[in-house]
Amino acid sequence: MKNTHDAPESVETVAAPVTVVGLGLMGQALARAFLKAGHPTTVWNRTAVKADPLVAVGARRAPTVGDALASGTLTIICLADYPAMYELLDADNVELAGTTLVNLTSGDATQARAAARWAERRGARYLDGAIMAIPSGIGTADAVILHSGQRADFVVHEATLAALGTVTHLGEDHGLAALYDVAGLAMMWSVLNAWLQGTALLRTVGVDAATYAPFARQLAAGVAEWLPGYAEQIDRGSFPAEVAALETDARAMAHLIEESEAAGINTELPKLIKKMADRSIAAGHGGEQYPVLIEEFAKPGDAAH
């Protein structure tokens, strides 16, 4: 007789079956990672031919989306948007009861929370997720996959989801993965925009992007080291000028604007940043450290003008 106490019933075996619905570039990468990790993988896509390369390496092609979901208890959704998910899964012949949906479709926090309520009404369990990786990175430790929703739902399928990369559960709020996603994008675009501003400036004197890139990379890594300390200031609501005062930074911002104008390049970005710093200084924060600008970022858009 099997000893039912050998392992928790809530934890999947390594070879647990999984379904992937949506076979764009990312969906195909997800399915390949599951197959590589030994998981029986069922796939479905509206354009059936997209499943051909996966079937060739061992995936099962489901004839209908309903059949795909019936193949196991875990279904990964990777579609264009949330309306596409509803269009597919709201059909009368699609049974969701007993299924855990992990939605890795891009959307916002409000959509994620609404989708969780919709899934619950249909008898399904639901995790919302975000993929912080490009398709070629899926299946490696560098691929960070964020999940939010009931922790128990995540734990049940964590071993299977780990085939995709480094999986993380953020919290019970289904909207957290979407919020982390856009917060990460804000960070990414800000770093890239700052690098492009500097590159444009240096190119005016013959310094190419490849020459500047290593210096910029080292600088970005150095700035990243400040984040834990700055985070402590933000969480305390106290911003002593341990490195430099905001008014000192504002003078340097003025120099960047002047240099950019003299070089004939765009000044919109540095002027926007200085405008926010000037408002903070006018509010009496000039002697505090740079993270005090969180108070400007935290204001509604209309309140900032």
Side-chain angles (χ1 to χ4, degrees):
M1 179 181 293
K2 179 181 178 181
N3 182 353
T4 57
H5 298 289
D6 286 347
E9 292 183 0
S10 62
V11 179
E12 290 185 338
T13 62
V14 172
V18 63
T19 293
V20 177
V21 173
L23 300 176
L25 291 177
M26 185 60 77
Q28 291 187 37
L30 299 174
R32 286 184 182 278
F34 286 125
L35 287 165
K36 185 177 180 180
H39 295 280
T41 304
T42 298
V43 295
W44 185 90
N45 193 75
R46 191 186 300 274
T47 305
V49 70
K50 287 191 175 182
D52 289 351
L54 297 167
V55 172
V57 293
R60 171 184 174 267
R61 187 202 318 265
T64 67
V65 68
D67 177 81
L69 267 69
S71 298
T73 59
L74 176 64
T75 295
I76 311 299
I77 307 294
C78 190
L79 299 170
D81 51 31
Y82 282 70
M85 178 183 72
Y86 293 132
E87 180 184 352
L88 283 178
L89 303 187
D90 259 340
D92 292 338
N93 62 339
V94 178
E95 178 60 56
L96 298 185
T99 297
T100 296
L101 300 176
V102 179
N103 187 11
L104 299 181
T105 299
S106 295
D108 60 39
T110 299
Q111 289 176 311
R113 295 174 185 130
R117 295 191 294 270
W118 163 83
E120 183 178 356
R121 291 194 299 269
R122 293 288 303 275
R125 310 196 73 81
Y126 182 88
L127 292 168
D128 207 83
I131 302 172
M132 313 299 287
I134 59 176
S136 62
I138 297 299
T140 73
D142 291 335
V144 176
I145 317 294
L146 308 177
H147 301 82
S148 54
Q150 294 297 313
R151 178 164 183 81
D153 297 337
F154 172 76
V155 170
V156 167
H157 300 290
E158 183 176 4
T160 298
L161 294 170
L164 302 180
T166 302
V167 295
T168 301
H169 180 260
L170 300 171
E172 304 277 307
D173 178 358
H174 286 89
L176 279 172
L179 289 172
Y180 266 74
D181 185 23
V182 294
L185 291 173
M187 186 81 180
M188 178 188 73
W189 289 327
S190 295
V191 171
L192 289 174
N193 288 339
W195 176 67
L196 291 171
Q197 179 79 35
T199 298
L201 182 60
L202 288 169
R203 286 205 315 173
T204 64
V205 293
V207 178
D208 61 24
T211 299
Y212 176 50
F215 173 83
R217 182 179 181 179
Q218 183 178 15
L219 185 60
V223 172
E225 292 298 316
W226 302 348
L227 297 184
Y230 279 9
E232 290 180 7
Q233 290 194 344
I234 291 171
D235 291 342
R236 288 197 311 263
S238 175
F239 308 94
E242 299 166 348
V243 177
L246 181 60
E247 57 192 7
T248 301
D249 286 314
R251 287 195 291 271
M253 293 174 193
H255 297 328
L256 173 58
I257 293 168
E258 292 164 3
E259 287 280 15
S260 297
E261 288 176 337
I265 70 166
N266 193 293
T267 60
E268 291 174 271
L269 180 60
K271 283 183 176 179
L272 172 62
I273 298 169
K274 187 172 186 300
K275 185 177 180 181
M276 296 180 73
D278 288 343
R279 285 200 301 266
S280 185
I281 292 169
H285 301 297
E288 297 176 89
Q289 195 155 262
Y290 198 87
V292 74
L293 282 179
I294 188 65
E295 297 179 5
E296 292 298 318
F297 280 97
K299 293 176 180 177
D302 291 343
H305 298 290

